[in-house]
Amino acid sequence: MEFDRLFPNWRSGGAVHIPEGWAQGRATFGGLVAAMLHEPMSGRVSGDASLRSITFSFIAPAEPGDLQLDTDVLRAGKSVTQVEGRALQNGQPVLAALASFGCGRQSSVHAEMAPAPEFPSPDQCPALPDIPGLVPEFTRHFDYRFARGAMPFSGSHVRELGGWVRFRHEETSGAPAAIGHLLALIDAWPPALLPMLSQPAPASSLTWTIEFMEPLSDKPATEWWQYLAEVEQAADGYGVIGAKLWDSSGRLCAFTRQTVTVFG
């Protein structure tokens, strides 16, 4: 239970450690570092408020080693608490975040959540190939099955990318997925821009906003989750990608918008 084993060390914030084995190019997998920073931020919230939205700004590559997690409550109102977080290495910020935690309230406004896409079953979809030097190291912690779009660096003109994803069974327990698991699952897929490239080129997240559905899913992270992303715009070396994550019962759990820099 490697991923779950890390959680207790993150909750209190302060000095933590990024382990080896989660590399994504020259940086650490962004979903892992985001999960690390979220934990002490959520620890600053009291009562029944749950995470509604969090925005990350990836300032510099985070590397394996020591990491300082600092958090501050900007305002704690009757229903909503705003928390700021920063992750620093060698005294310099590598990640900043702003999170909104809110209590539920009665409302006459209700809109149905987006239905899950109709994908073939995971055993009918191709897996992400393990190509040393091309497929990032962190992907060994997950299982992938491609159901929509093309493989990275295939020169595709299709804007969508998606399929099935789950943590490998040795990574987590059978307990329901927490926010940290969802942050990792929804960021585990390659940016939907990469299939549009005809040859390998680096890409990295610049900003990332994730909205969460309440109540959280009761499904474990080792079950299959459906993911679908769409490139909404791309030009000048930047792209905007919207994505959604559904649990194994087809319930929408999170959706995200991400600005990605691409060097190719």
Side-chain angles (χ1 to χ4, degrees), residues 22 28 39-40 114 138 141-142 146 162 190 200-201 208 233 235 241 244 252:
W22 291 87
T28 299
E39 286 300 302
F138 81 88
H141 299 277
F142 301 91
F146 279 76
W208 186 35
Q233 182 272 342
I241 301 168
K244 296 181 176 67
L252 180 65

Side-chain angles (χ1 to χ4, degrees), residues 128-137 139 153 200:
L128 179 70
D130 185 12
I131 305 175
L134 184 62
V135 176
E137 180 184 36
T139 59
F153 314 122

Side-chain angles (χ1 to χ4, degrees), residues 105-111:
R105 60 170 70 92
Q106 288 189 344
S107 173
S108 60
V109 177
H110 179 77

Side-chain angles (χ1 to χ4, degrees), residues 109-209:
V109 177
H110 179 77
E112 293 296 327
M113 294 186 289
E118 295 184 1
F119 290 158
S121 62
D123 60 359
Q124 295 179 306
C125 300
L128 179 70
D130 185 12
I131 305 175
L134 184 62
V135 176
E137 180 184 36
F138 81 88
T139 59
R140 68 179 179 84
H141 299 277
F142 301 91
D143 279 332
Y144 302 84
R145 298 293 186 273
F146 279 76
R148 186 78 58 84
M151 291 288 180
F153 314 122
S154 60
S156 172
H157 296 289
V158 178
R159 290 189 176 211
E160 288 187 325
L161 178 66
W164 304 89
V165 63
R166 65 182 177 183
F167 272 93
R168 295 189 182 276
H169 285 273
E170 63 269 20
E171 293 292 329
T172 72
S173 68
I179 291 290
H181 297 102
L182 298 185
L183 286 169
L185 285 165
I186 203 169
D187 195 43
W189 281 79
L193 287 167
L194 295 191
M196 295 181 171
L197 297 172
S198 57
Q199 60 185 7
S204 60
S205 296
L206 186 61
T207 61
W208 186 35
T209 298

